[in-house]
Amino acid sequence: MFKEAIRLAKPNIELSAEKATAMLYTLADKFLDRAELDEIKEVMRMTRLGQMLQDEAIESTQTESIKNLMKNMNWTIDQAMNALEISEDKREKYRQSITPNN
């Protein structure tokens, strides 16, 4: 039931569909067993919400890694981003989030 509901909501890009999909994920997490959640996880990987969550997690990890390299290795933000091979198109976003005064 949850899997079918998510599949139906997935193609719709309206905000209300995104909210409904998020609610379905929450309910699935609360009421489904591990095997059923694994099925939902596969469906979720194909959704915009799933991609957004994954991108957010990657950004958070990258931000923490940059901060740790700056602190522990006494590197500049550019040295840390070079070491992590952060692409040029994402560097300004990290600069703003790590050094908001610049």
Side-chain angles (χ1 to χ4, degrees):
M1 176 175 94
F2 285 107
K3 189 166 57 171
E4 187 60 27
I6 290 169
R7 281 193 180 134
L8 291 172
K10 183 182 126 191
N12 195 332
I13 59 171
E14 294 178 21
L15 183 59
S16 59
E18 289 180 11
K19 288 180 179 179
T21 303
M23 183 180 66
L24 287 168
Y25 291 144
T26 302
L27 291 170
D29 185 49
K30 187 170 183 95
F31 295 109
L32 300 181
D33 64 30
R34 183 72 180 159
E36 292 169 319
L37 283 173
D38 285 341
E39 287 182 40
I40 296 295
K41 184 172 76 172
E42 290 304 314
V43 172
M44 188 175 171
R45 282 187 182 155
M46 298 177 279
T47 65
R48 286 188 333 136
L49 178 60
Q51 185 62 51
M52 289 169 61
L53 291 169
Q54 182 178 359
D55 292 346
E56 186 177 295
I58 290 169
E59 283 183 21
S60 177
T61 301
Q62 292 285 40
T63 299
E64 286 306 307
S65 295
I66 293 167
K67 288 178 182 179
N68 288 337
L69 286 170
M70 291 172 66
K71 177 183 172 189
N72 297 328
M73 302 298 288
N74 200 28
W75 284 355
T76 65
I77 191 169
D78 287 314
Q79 288 172 318
M81 287 191 289
N82 287 341
L84 295 170
E85 298 179 346
I86 304 292
S87 63
E88 287 296 325
D89 61 320
K90 295 181 181 176
R91 289 179 180 234
E92 188 58 33
K93 184 175 184 175
Y94 288 116
R95 277 189 192 90
Q96 290 177 0
S97 68
I98 294 170
T99 56
N101 296 332
N102 291 344

